[in-house]
Amino acid sequence: MRPTNSNSNSYQPGEPPADPAQLQRFLREELTRLKTAIDAVADGFAPVVYAPPTKPRAGMLRNADGTQWDPGDGAGLYRYDGTAWKFLG
């Protein structure tokens, strides 16, 4: 079974090191990971997801896989209008 949300570019903060000498490297790596996630959003990247968000909000965009999660018109990009998912293409 596939994961319910497969966004390889989402950012999850790492655990900071206990050793203060490692903090500079940790921060550099965290900033690089943040940049990657922000660039993906700026480029319009919409990863395929396999389940709806638990708390959808008006204006959300999701790229549904169309099988495990099919909001109505199969695989593709959907926008939540506050009451239902609308197929965009």
Side-chain angles (χ1 to χ4, degrees):
M1 178 179 235
R2 291 192 161 183
T4 57
N5 197 350
S6 172
N7 185 352
S8 59
N9 290 317
S10 69
Y11 174 74
Q12 296 297 321
E15 191 67 33
D19 180 4
Q22 299 297 317
L23 190 56
Q24 184 177 7
R25 184 180 63 111
F26 169 78
L27 290 174
R28 189 177 331 109
E29 290 171 357
E30 287 296 298
L31 289 172
T32 299
R33 291 178 43 222
L34 274 169
K35 180 187 181 313
T36 300
I38 291 169
D39 287 349
V41 171
D43 289 342
F45 177 72
V48 174
V49 294
Y50 302 94
T54 54
K55 294 182 180 181
R57 295 180 303 275
M60 279 186 159
L61 297 173
R62 291 294 183 271
N63 188 7
D65 79 313
T67 303
Q68 289 184 18
W69 180 41
D70 183 354
D73 290 307
L77 189 63
Y78 288 82
R79 179 183 178 278
Y80 190 71
D81 69 4
T83 57
W85 290 97
K86 304 295 183 184
F87 185 68
L88 301 177

